[in-house]
């Protein structure tokens, strides 16, 4: 073996070691980035007494406003803070899911930013918090979610969108899936959906406008009778 050949072998070995170390460092950095949740991720505990009270208050207020008797054609609005929504998700949503037969409620959280909603959730088999970003808007009486983007922690990863919607798609295979669930699936698929739901007493609540600002969501509704006929005047 000549000295020149031996020098080349040593250089190749050094290069191989450098590449191996570089790959290891890159893998470590990538693992850290993927496992790190977004800075705003801090969902309340399911047994936090403050969250329990806030979740119940939000639920009761929404039920009261939705079922309130109103004059014909009158629009009405609600304003919801993301802190209260997160309290409801942590303390009340698990009870609703348990009642419907789903025992394990995912840990989730929302954040309202100007013209944007961010929804974070811990999904089984995913190393960090999956985040869905969207900008809701009304178009010809139908609701759309523009700018649908998915992230894993702080890293944009388009494939996470499929993971987030997989269970929802499976639920839609059931003929008993409610209309609200089908509408949500259509929205997450990038389609427009009619934002209407029945109160069960012949009235229909229809969303007319939606605005997202820092820390809050503003929703404007109109309550009508089945068939689109406005309710009677008081």
């Amino acid at each position: 073996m000549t000295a020149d050949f031996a020098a080349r072998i040593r250089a190749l070995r050094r290069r191989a070691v450098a590449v191996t170390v570089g790959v290891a460092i890159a893998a470590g950095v990538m693992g850290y980035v993927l496992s790190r949740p977004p800075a705003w991720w801090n969902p309340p505990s399911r047994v936090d007494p403050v969250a329990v009270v806030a979740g119940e208050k939000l639920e009761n207020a929404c039920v009261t406003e939705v079922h309130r008797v109103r004059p014909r054609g009158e629009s009405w609005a609600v304003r919801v803070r993301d802190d209260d929504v997160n309290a409801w998700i942590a303390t009340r949503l698990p009870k609703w899911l348990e009642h419907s037969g789903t025992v394990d409620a995912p840990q989730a959280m929302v954040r309202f930013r100007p013209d944007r909603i961010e929804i974070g959730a811990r999904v089984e088999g995913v190393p960090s918090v999956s985040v869905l970003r969207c900008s809701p808007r009304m178009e010809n009486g139908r609701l759309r979610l523009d700018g649908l983007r998915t992230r894993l922690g702080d890293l944009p990863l388009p494939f996470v969108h499929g993971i987030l919607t997989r269970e929802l798609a499976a639920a839609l295979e059931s003929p008993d899936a409610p209309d609200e669930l089908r509408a949500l699936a259509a929205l997450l698929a990038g389609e427009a959906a009619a934002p209407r739901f029945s109160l069960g007493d012949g009235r229909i609540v229809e969303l007319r406008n939606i605005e997202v600002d820092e820390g809050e969501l503003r929703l404007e509704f109109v309550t009508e009778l089945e068939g689109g006929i406005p309710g009677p005047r008081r």
Side-chain angles (χ1 to χ4, degrees), residues 33-34 36-40 128-129 131 133 151-157:
V33 172
L34 289 176
R36 185 179 62 182
W40 53 269
S128 184
V129 175
V131 179
R133 291 181 176 179
R151 306 174 72 90
L152 191 58
D154 289 325
L155 187 67
L157 289 177

Side-chain angles (χ1 to χ4, degrees), residues 206-222:
E206 179 178 331
L207 178 66
R208 291 294 177 86
N209 191 36
I210 181 170
E211 296 179 3
V212 191
D213 207 341
E214 187 66 42
E216 68 177 30
L217 178 69
R218 295 187 290 271
L219 304 165
E220 181 181 333
F221 298 93
V222 169

Side-chain angles (χ1 to χ4, degrees), residues 54-123:
E56 290 179 349
K57 288 179 64 176
L58 175 63
E59 184 173 311
N60 292 335
C62 289
V63 170
T64 299
E65 288 301 315
V66 166
H67 288 85
R68 190 185 301 277
V69 177
R70 305 175 188 278
R72 182 178 63 191
E74 178 184 79
S75 63
W76 54 278
V78 296
R79 180 177 298 182
V80 183
R81 299 188 309 153
D82 53 13
D83 286 345
D84 294 331
V85 174
N86 289 324
W88 183 88
I89 291 173
T91 63
R92 299 297 298 168
L93 179 59
K95 298 181 184 299
W96 282 84
L97 294 179
E98 183 177 356
H99 179 72
S100 66
T102 303
V103 178
D104 296 325
Q107 189 179 31
M109 185 178 177
V110 302
R111 183 169 74 148
F112 300 145
R113 303 298 303 276
D115 300 320
R116 187 177 76 212
I117 297 176
E118 297 180 347
I119 306 170
R122 286 201 177 275
V123 181

Side-chain angles (χ1 to χ4, degrees), residues 182-202:
R182 296 182 184 277
L184 178 59
L187 289 170
L188 293 177
E191 303 173 8
R196 298 162 59 94
F197 58 92
S198 173
L199 298 182
D201 61 0

